[in-house]
Amino acid sequence: VATVDIVAEPLLTRGEKIATLQRWRQQIAEELTAGDEGMPTRHTSGRNHDLIGEIQTALDELEKSAPSN
């Protein structure tokens, strides 16, 4: 799954997309922390750093598309 897939998914509301991306970002952050503490991470830490950036970009796009009051 890619961040663009989540953002483009028509069956999810904007709020569901944000919640999904936030959970994904939290899971990756926990994996990175585990790696920093010496736990095995299947050599994914470099990719995870990139993925956190992609997730944040997607979240920023969704925040910009928020309906204005």
Side-chain angles (χ1 to χ4, degrees):
V1 175
T3 57
V4 294
D5 296 331
I6 294 170
V7 172
E9 177 54 58
L11 297 177
L12 295 175
T13 67
R14 185 179 151 277
E16 290 170 329
K17 293 173 186 182
I18 290 171
T20 299
L21 290 166
Q22 287 173 334
R23 281 191 307 271
W24 193 9
R25 182 180 58 189
Q26 181 61 35
Q27 179 183 9
I28 292 169
E30 289 171 3
E31 287 180 19
L32 289 170
T33 299
D36 289 344
E37 295 173 354
M39 297 178 75
T41 59
R42 300 177 308 244
H43 307 290
T44 59
S45 63
R47 173 67 183 129
N48 282 346
H49 282 289
D50 294 341
L51 190 52
I52 281 189
E54 293 172 23
I55 291 170
Q56 189 58 55
T57 299
L59 285 167
D60 291 344
E61 289 177 20
L62 288 168
E63 291 296 330
K64 287 181 194 173
S65 69
S68 56
N69 293 335

